[in-house]
Each structure stands twice: as structure tokens, then as C-alpha cells.
Amino acid sequence: MTRAEKTLPRRALRKRRRWGLYAIIAVPILIVLSLISLIPALSAARAMEEGKSALADAQRMFESGQLGKAQAEFDRARNEFDRASGHAGNVLIHLESLVPYLGRTADTIRGLSDIGVNVSQAGVDLSSGISALPSGFDSLAPAKGRIQVGALEQLAPSVTSARAALERAHKTATGLPKSWVFPLVEDATALVRERLDSALPAIRSADALLGSLPEFAGQTRPRRYFVAAQNPAELRGTGGLIGLYSILTIDKGKMSLRDFESIQELPNRPDSEPPESMRIPTQFGRDVSGEWSETNEMPQGPIAATMIEALWERTMGQKLDGTIFIDPQALTYMIEAAGAVPSQELGVTLTPGNVVAFVTNRAYFVFDDSDERKEALGIAARDVWTSFLREAPPEKALRALVTAAGAGHIFVHARDPRLEAAFLTAGAAGEFGTDGGDFLGSVVNNFAGNKVDFYMKRSIRYEVTLLADGQAKAQTEMTFTNDAPANAKPGYAMGPFLGISHRSLHLGPGDNHSLVSLYTPKGTLLTEITEDGKHTIVQPELDPNFQLYGNYIRIDAQREKTLGYSLDLPRVWTGDNAIGSYNLKIQAQASTVKPTTAEVVVHAPSGMHFTEQPEGSPIEVDGTTATWSGEVGTGVELDLTFERGFWGRAWARVGDFVSKPVVRL
């Protein structure tokens, strides 16, 4: 017996020896239990691997249109995951719940098995539902100028069932343990959550749209939509100047599109005050709902559409059912589906490689007559649309429309609240902004009256340092490069436009003059703004949902300009002193001829580090710094989590506990 043991009271000494005896007995028992439970655990692992393989095969077959085989593989995957769930529920594995670390891992395996069952069931529902259509996938696409309403209605219940299965899987994934599990299982769980997070918006969108598209397609009465042809060579908030318009009528699925006409032929609102329902405040501090050329200066598609519909009713005395925005890039997807389109009026064969450049730039130099220049986009849209409806195979036609809408080159507004809610759910309404977290929006309105945005490049750099209590500091740089030729001749495309408001600017051919608007979360404080490193002033702008900063800038041909912003951000991340999460959305106009690029650098709060991203994630994590770079498109969302080390988290939890009163008086 040691000297220390001699000094212990005899009862305490017996208690200490008893705990030592318990440990000697318990450790072998726990080891034996783990070894025994390994048998059903291995069986569960094999079944899950088989299920994963079957799911991968089913997905490939589904995407290639082999619906019967896909359904069989989805069914096989469901059975394998169900078998894995049965093995994971074995009483021997349940005994591991008594063991820290092992128990949470077993719970996670059971949860992953259940997720596999529900995901496979969703696949069965979708593949069987589409297989039941007269022509499979082809039944969902417009054919001979008609939307096949009956097929949409027939498929709707299968999509609703598939959505319910994925919602169950997502609920299970949300409740799975995020710590104290084996690293391999933890990585698998993170990957499952990521895949479900990306799949759910799509199935929710499909479910919402299938329930609404028959009404959109005139199932109960003819529907009339204003088609706004946007030209990204002269930027506006939603994408580009609306130079041409048409009216699309859909009656029981049958589509009829009028020839495109110049929007300048439409009457503007009389000088008398509009009714209250037409007054739409904008960040420019004035009502612009009476000028066709200004209806889409704001970036929110639903607001621009509401202004168009109100102005049409005011000036034309007719009600519209909605608005469809389309830009030249959408024509690219249609030509890819239908094949090259020879246009006799334009004297060119339109291809995916030349259509955007032709209608946004080359046509202005080919045609001498101003009316021909302006109508080039409308003629191209008409010819491509006609060829698309007549020549495109149904499956390719469907993919073209879905891809163009997903990339922000087609978006739709409906005056019917139910239809509009479906388009918003589907992300097809041209919405701008985010529901929470951090947001950075960049919007350009070209006020030079030229088509120089064809040559413009835009890049954004956003560096954020997360602080305590959810706040942050950020440095933003927006760089604009004007690649217009320096020796260009004056003309309709290159300018200068010698309007009264432009004479003092002394713009030359190819020079750009634009209002650049920076959208940030409400409550953001701008501490400094610079132009090419020199302090400058900012124009206040108004918006009920954002903190907005605007600057008029001039970028001459073959020159570059950078705006820099120093920002104090309000509460943009959530969490506590142990663990937190940060969500950022960056958004710009999707229809620019040259895509907007961005680089994001995020620094974790002091004493914390970012958790690793799932394999294949575009976000790179290096301890306390996370980076991302790429094209912005319709918007990029980044989700980051950060935490202290194990002991730091434990200490923070203790600190939180002791700092909060147990009883409030």
C-alpha cells in the first residue's frame, strides 16, 4: 500500500478499489459487446454499400431516360437500405448505445439507412410516375406549340409523393448527431445533408409548378402575358433594357406569340397622377412606373413585372395575366435543342456560338437603318422560337427551358398570387435578395444610352472578418473593365448619346457611364468608399429591404475602375461562443454578356476555426480562413460552420451554463 493510500479514510479506499474492480470487469465486457455487435454492423455496412451502388445506377438510368430500369434499381436500393436498417436495429447494436461514441455512431448508421429508404422511395415515385405518361419525359415538353397540360396533371401526384419522401429524409438528416461519431460516418452524414439540401429545392419547385402550370397554360381560360425582350448590352436592374415586347397568349395549352414590336411605340403614362396601386417607390427616390424604359431599373423581377402590368393596363386599357422576361442567352439554349436557325430577314444562320454576339453587338454594325437594328433581337427571338417549337425534340426542349430558367435567362411573374407563389418557390420569378444571413448584391444601370455593356467585365472581391455577437467587418471591391475599342467610330452602339443630361459628361465612343448600386443587409454601416483608391462620396438610395449605396461612375474605353467599400455589418452569423454558422449570398445581374466573377474570403471569429467542407465542395478551408471563387450567375450561396476546439467548446458550454440564472425572480 502506498503512503498516499495510507492517508485515505478506509471507506474511501474501499470505494476506490471497488471502482477499479468495476473498470477491470467492464472494459473486457464492453470490448466483447463491440466485437459481437460487429457482425450485424458489418451486415448493415454491406447492405448500405449495395444500396448506394444501386442508387448511383438508378440515377444514371433515370437521367438517360431508361425509366423502367431506373425504377427497378431504385426499388433494389430501397430494399438494400431497408435491410441495412434492419441490421442496424439488431439488439446487439442497440447495446452500444450504452457506450459513448460507439452509441452515437450506431444511431447515425440507423438514421442513414432510413434516409436511404426514403431517397430510394422518392426515385421509385418519380420514375414510375414519368413511365406512366404516354411518351415518358417527352410528354412534359411543349410539342407543336402546345403545353401538354394533361401530362402535367397526371404526373403531379407522383411528384408530391416523392417530395414527401425527401422531406422525411431531410428531417432525419437534420436530427443526426454532428459530433462524437466516427470520422468516416461523420463525413458520410455531412455529404448526405449536402445532397439533400441541393435536391430538396428542386423537388419542392417541381411540386409547386406542377400544381400551378395547368392554370398558367390557360386550362380554365385564355391567359395573356407580356414578353419583355431584354438587351444586356445596355444593362438595367433585371438584366437589360427592354427594347422589344410581344404578347403571348396560351389557351388550353396552345401558345400563340405575336411579332415583337419596339417598346418605344407604346404610350407612356399621362402626366396625371396614377392610382395609388400603381405607385411603386424605388431606390431612385421617384416614381418611375410611368416610363417604359425605366420599368426594370430595379433588380427585383416581381416589382418590374408589376410596374409593366400596371402601365399596360393604364395605357392600353387591358389586363395582363403576367410578364415573361427573356434575354438573348435564352435563345442559345433553344438553338442547342432545335439546331441552327437560318434567318432570311437577318441574313445570317443563328447558332449557339453567334446568336448573343449578333443581336447584342454585330447587328448594330450590319444594318444601317435604325429600325432594322432595333428589331434584330425581335426577329431573332421570333425565328428561334418558331424553330424551337417546330424542330426541337421534346426532351431537349424541356431541358432547354429548364436550364435557361435555372440560369436566370427566363423568369416569369403571374398576377395570380397562387401562381406567383409557385414561381417564387421554383426560383423562376427573378427574385433578388435573401431571407437571412449576409447578402452582397451588385447591380448596374447603364445611363450612357449606348450598348457598351457588351464589352464590360465585372469582378467582385468580398473579404469578411466575423466578430463576436454575430457582427462582422467587410471590405468590398467591385472592378469594372471596359474592353470597348478605343478608336471606335461614333454610332448607335458605341455612342455617344448627345442627350441634354449627357452633354456635360463629354463621353466619347465606347465610354460607359453607369449607376452602380451595392445592396447590403439592413443596418449595414458604410464607413468609407473609394474610387480607384481615392475617397469619394456616395449617393443615398432607398429600398425597404436593403441598405443601399449608389455611385455614378464613368469608365472610358480601354480603362478600368474599382470601387472600394468598408462596411460594418449587423448580426450576419448565428451561434454562440462555442459554435456558429455563417450564410452569405452574392448576387448580380445574371444576363450580362460577360459573366460577373467573384472572390470571397471569410475569416472565422477569434479563437474559432472552420469545419471541413464535404468532398467536392468549391469552398476551400484552411483553419481560420475559408475562400471561394467563381462565376456569380443567378446568385451564389455559401454556408460555413465554425467552432472552437473540443476543450474550448466544453469550456464555453460551462461558461454559458454558469452565466445564466437557474431561476428568474
Side-chain angles (χ1 to χ4, degrees):
M1 183 177 295
T2 64
R3 182 176 300 177
E5 288 176 327
K6 290 179 180 179
T7 61
L8 287 173
R10 184 166 299 179
R11 181 178 300 173
L13 182 59
R14 285 199 302 269
K15 185 176 181 180
R16 177 174 172 178
R17 287 174 174 170
R18 188 164 59 248
W19 277 111
L21 180 62
Y22 289 165
I24 293 172
I25 297 173
V27 169
I29 291 175
L30 291 175
I31 292 175
V32 170
L33 284 174
S34 297
L35 289 174
I36 294 174
S37 65
L38 187 61
I39 298 171
L42 288 174
S43 299
R46 281 194 297 269
M48 289 185 68
E49 192 62 37
E50 288 292 327
K52 177 183 173 183
S53 176
L55 264 184
D57 291 341
Q59 182 178 352
R60 284 193 296 271
M61 293 171 182
F62 185 85
E63 292 175 350
S64 64
Q66 302 177 68
L67 298 174
K69 293 182 178 179
Q71 183 179 347
E73 285 301 304
F74 278 126
D75 193 54
R76 184 168 73 88
R78 180 183 58 188
N79 292 334
E80 290 294 342
F81 283 119
D82 192 49
R83 190 160 62 90
S85 182
H87 287 304
N90 188 287
V91 65
L92 295 177
I93 291 184
H94 274 295
L95 290 174
E96 286 189 354
S97 299
L98 303 173
V99 185
Y101 201 73
L102 290 176
R104 292 173 68 86
T105 297
D107 291 339
T108 304
I109 292 174
R110 283 189 289 272
L112 290 173
S113 301
D114 292 339
I115 290 170
V117 170
N118 281 299
V119 170
S120 302
Q121 181 61 55
V124 170
D125 292 334
L126 285 176
S127 53
S128 62
I130 297 174
S131 294
L133 298 177
S135 303
F137 274 117
D138 290 354
S139 299
L140 301 175
K144 297 181 180 179
R146 183 182 293 275
I147 297 174
Q148 303 186 62
V149 177
L152 299 176
E153 292 177 325
Q154 181 179 337
L155 181 62
S158 296
V159 174
T160 299
S161 179
R163 174 183 176 175
L166 286 182
E167 295 283 8
R168 291 193 298 270
H170 184 261
K171 183 178 180 180
T172 302
T174 303
L176 291 179
K178 298 181 180 179
S179 59
W180 290 97
V181 296
F182 285 130
L184 285 176
V185 178
E186 185 177 5
D187 291 345
T189 305
L191 182 60
V192 165
R193 287 196 189 97
E194 181 194 17
R195 297 284 174 84
L196 285 172
D197 286 342
S198 63
L200 263 178
I203 194 68
R204 287 169 178 166
S205 299
D207 191 26
L209 285 175
L210 283 173
S212 304
L213 280 178
E215 195 63 30
F216 171 82
Q219 181 75 326
T220 57
R221 66 170 177 83
R223 300 274 176 167
R224 298 172 71 248
Y225 301 95
F226 185 98
V227 181
Q230 301 191 100
N231 186 350
E234 185 175 350
L235 281 177
R236 288 293 186 270
T238 60
L241 177 73
I242 302 172
L244 297 162
Y245 79 97
S246 179
I247 299 296
L248 173 67
T249 301
I250 313 180
D251 185 8
K252 291 183 172 57
K254 182 67 176 178
M255 294 181 287
S256 175
L257 182 70
R258 280 178 15 189
D259 282 349
F260 281 86
E261 300 178 40
S262 172
I263 206 166
Q264 293 182 358
E265 302 300 321
L266 292 174
N268 288 317
R269 189 197 70 215
D271 293 335
S272 58
E273 289 292 320
E276 284 298 319
S277 61
M278 285 182 59
R279 289 173 181 254
I280 301 176
T282 76
Q283 67 263 37
F284 305 104
R286 53 192 170 87
D287 174 22
V288 298
S289 57
E291 303 291 331
W292 286 105
S293 62
E294 298 174 327
T295 51
N296 66 330
E297 289 180 354
M298 299 177 72
Q300 296 92 337
I303 292 179
T306 300
M307 294 171 72
I308 288 171
E309 292 150 15
L311 187 54
W312 180 272
E313 183 176 349
R314 175 71 171 169
T315 58
M316 306 300 287
Q318 302 169 341
K319 283 191 175 183
L320 294 166
D321 293 294
T323 304
I324 300 172
F325 295 84
I326 184 170
D327 63 31
Q329 288 94 325
L331 304 181
T332 300
Y333 297 101
M334 294 182 185
I335 297 173
E336 287 177 346
V341 179
S343 176
Q344 292 183 351
E345 288 189 63
L346 296 177
V348 65
T349 296
L350 300 172
T351 68
N354 71 10
V355 63
V356 174
F358 184 85
V359 300
T360 61
N361 183 259
R362 181 168 165 72
Y364 299 119
F365 301 97
V366 170
F367 301 113
D368 295 328
D369 183 80
S370 61
D371 289 336
E372 289 180 322
R373 290 194 299 263
K374 294 176 183 177
E375 291 175 2
L377 175 56
I379 294 170
R382 181 202 63 196
D383 291 349
V384 171
W385 176 256
T386 302
S387 174
F388 177 74
L389 291 180
R390 187 177 61 240
E391 305 292 342
E395 184 181 344
K396 288 186 177 181
L398 181 64
R399 290 183 184 276
L401 293 175
V402 170
T403 305
H409 301 307
I410 300 175
F411 53 94
V412 186
H413 175 262
R415 296 184 72 170
D416 183 320
R418 180 171 172 269
L419 291 177
E420 179 63 6
F423 291 132
L424 288 168
T425 300
E431 61 270 39
F432 185 87
T434 185
D435 294 332
D438 196 6
F439 178 74
L440 184 74
S442 172
V443 174
V444 175
N445 275 277
N446 180 340
F447 290 142
N450 56 29
K451 302 296 183 286
V452 172
D453 282 311
F454 175 83
Y455 301 96
M456 294 294 296
K457 295 178 182 176
R458 298 163 187 81
S459 64
I460 301 169
R461 189 178 192 278
Y462 191 51
E463 184 167 7
V464 187
T465 300
L466 303 180
L467 306 175
D469 301 324
Q471 300 181 52
K473 286 186 175 292
Q475 294 291 325
T476 304
E477 288 185 350
M478 293 195 294
T479 301
F480 305 87
T481 305
N482 186 353
D483 286 338
N487 57 351
K489 295 180 180 180
Y492 181 77
M494 305 302 294
F497 173 64
L498 299 179
I500 295 176
S501 61
H502 291 81
R503 290 175 184 171
S504 61
L505 297 174
H506 304 292
L507 296 175
D511 294 343
N512 183 287
H513 180 242
S514 296
L515 172 63
V516 177
S517 300
L518 178 74
Y519 289 74
T520 62
K522 203 71 176 172
T524 298
L525 176 64
L526 176 67
T527 58
E528 185 183 21
I529 180 171
T530 60
E531 185 175 318
D532 288 339
K534 298 179 181 179
H535 181 77
T536 187
I537 59 175
V538 64
Q539 172 178 314
E541 299 183 33
L542 305 174
D543 192 287
N545 301 314
F546 303 98
Q547 202 72 39
L548 221 60
Y549 305 102
N551 281 81
Y552 285 95
I553 63 171
R554 170 177 175 161
I555 313 107
D556 291 348
Q558 294 295 303
R559 303 298 287 270
E560 184 176 276
K561 183 153 292 184
T562 297
L563 290 175
Y565 306 82
S566 298
L567 305 169
D568 286 347
L569 301 173
R571 187 172 177 83
V572 292
W573 65 268
T574 58
D576 53 29
N577 200 33
I579 187 170
S581 62
Y582 170 72
N583 174 269
L584 166 67
K585 182 177 181 180
I586 296 184
Q587 194 168 3
Q589 289 129 311
S591 63
T592 53
V593 177
K594 294 178 172 58
T596 301
T597 60
E599 178 187 17
V600 177
V601 180
V602 185
H603 302 287
S606 178
M608 294 190 176
H609 65 274
F610 288 108
T611 57
E612 289 296 324
Q613 291 287 306
E615 184 179 353
S617 170
I619 304 173
E620 295 185 6
V621 170
D622 183 14
T624 60
T625 302
T627 59
W628 173 89
S629 62
E631 295 181 0
V632 176
T634 55
V636 174
E637 290 197 54
L638 307 178
D639 290 296
L640 295 167
T641 57
F642 44 88
E643 62 184 10
R644 298 186 183 277
F646 173 80
W647 294 111
R649 293 198 303 276
W651 183 250
R653 296 286 187 238
V654 171
D656 287 343
F657 177 78
V658 300
S659 65
K660 294 178 181 178
V662 177
V663 179
R664 291 186 181 275
L665 300 178

